[in-house]
Amino acid sequence: MPAPILELQDVHKHYHMGSVVVEALRGVSLTLQPGEYLSIMGPSGCGKSTLLNVLGCLDRPTAGRYLLGDQDVSRLDDDALSTIRGTRLGFVFQSYNLIPQLTVVENIEVPLFYQGCPEELSRTRARQMAERVGLGHRLDHRPYELSGGQQQRVAIARALVNDPLVILADEPTGNLDSVSGREVLDLFDELHAQGRTLILVTHDPTVAERADRILRLRDGRVEKDERRRPPPSTHIHTSAP
């Protein structure tokens, strides 16, 4: 079995609200293999968003360790975390988070711009990603000219363009109708079949059941870690160094 693509070791996250300490995560441990598809579920306030923020290097653990690839990212400074987010992680949000003034291809290019990627290479890769998610005919359209499902496809292409180690999705079908939601989930299934590592936060059991594995949180702890299929052992996609 390959080395884990990420590992949380007894991770705690506390927030101070005045004199009150809120324990959002209380000793969460998790090991994810390359190519796994994990969904995270739990009731409101269980720690799903906090866990996603830690996994996405948007926040640091109060205690415990977070290993991403071969790097301990638990205590990195803000600049280093920003670099990790830009080069090793891809994000898909419920509200798409597209820039309304930019075209489809320009929105997809945004992560490459922050990496200092040459313009010609950046445009080529963005066009390739647009084709991959079925939007090659919409390159010059702006977000307001697209359906919700198409906007989410742009967001997925943007998440893929930097060839990330892990794709993190936060309620990616939450704003979509049932048909568009299925199309987006089918796209995630395709990415998974190609060896991508996916982490998806959802409240919808039918969405969660697409994954290999369901992690259920309650009160900041892992209540259940249900593996529905064995971890993949071949055809694993790993990000270029």
Side-chain angles (χ1 to χ4, degrees):
M1 184 174 291
I5 204 162
L6 66 80
E7 187 173 2
L8 299 181
Q9 300 174 353
D10 194 27
V11 165
H12 295 251
K13 182 62 186 179
H14 302 163
Y15 295 102
H16 293 269
M17 311 281 288
S19 61
V20 177
V21 177
V22 177
E23 298 182 67
L25 297 177
R26 307 181 185 194
V28 173
S29 294
L30 170 67
T31 300
L32 198 67
Q33 299 298 328
E36 278 199 90
Y37 187 175
L38 173 74
S39 63
I40 301 173
M41 294 192 72
S44 179
C46 71
K48 297 191 302 295
S49 296
T50 301
L51 179 56
L52 194 70
N53 285 344
V54 170
L55 290 170
C57 294
L58 296 165
D59 210 346
R60 300 178 187 82
T62 304
R65 299 179 73 205
Y66 175 24
L67 306 175
L68 178 62
D70 56 359
Q71 187 172 12
D72 186 346
V73 299
S74 310
R75 301 290 178 265
L76 295 180
D77 62 25
D78 289 345
D79 288 344
L81 286 178
S82 179
T83 298
I84 292 291
R85 290 193 299 271
T87 58
R88 311 198 84 183
L89 300 170
F91 296 90
V92 181
F93 301 98
Q94 178 177 348
S95 56
Y96 323 133
N97 287 12
L98 302 180
I99 300 172
Q101 297 85 358
L102 301 184
T103 64
V104 164
V105 71
E106 289 168 344
N107 266 285
I108 296 171
E109 283 182 290
V110 166
L112 300 178
F113 171 79
Y114 286 109
Q115 289 181 34
C117 184
E119 184 176 348
E120 186 175 344
L121 177 58
S122 173
R123 184 55 53 96
T124 298
R125 287 175 64 177
R127 287 177 180 273
Q128 290 171 344
M129 287 300 108
E131 292 282 354
R132 187 169 180 180
V133 301
L135 290 174
H137 62 301
R138 294 278 192 162
L139 294 177
D140 296 323
H141 288 68
R142 286 179 170 76
Y144 69 86
E145 299 175 295
L146 306 176
S147 68
Q150 289 171 332
Q151 290 185 61
Q152 194 60 293
R153 285 174 174 268
V154 176
I156 293 169
R158 181 184 59 193
L160 288 168
V161 77
N162 65 350
D163 195 26
L165 279 176
V166 182
I167 299 168
L168 301 128
D170 187 6
E171 298 282 5
T173 61
N175 285 341
L176 302 178
D177 60 60
S178 59
V179 173
S180 296
R182 280 196 302 273
E183 291 174 351
V184 166
L185 291 174
D186 288 345
L187 181 54
F188 278 116
D189 288 345
E190 291 173 20
L191 295 172
H192 174 48
Q194 293 162 6
R196 291 282 179 175
T197 306
L198 306 171
I199 299 176
L200 185 152
V201 168
T202 182
H203 68 282
D204 187 336
T206 62
V207 173
E209 287 169 4
R210 295 271 193 141
D212 296 332
R213 183 176 170 192
I214 302 175
L215 191 76
R216 301 181 190 274
L217 299 182
R218 185 173 295 276
D219 299 328
R221 296 186 174 92
V222 175
E223 180 180 51
K224 187 177 182 181
D225 187 350
E226 174 190 357
R227 189 178 293 282
R228 305 178 66 250
R229 289 179 287 273
S233 57
T234 59
H235 304 298
I236 299 304
H237 175 93
T238 55
S239 174

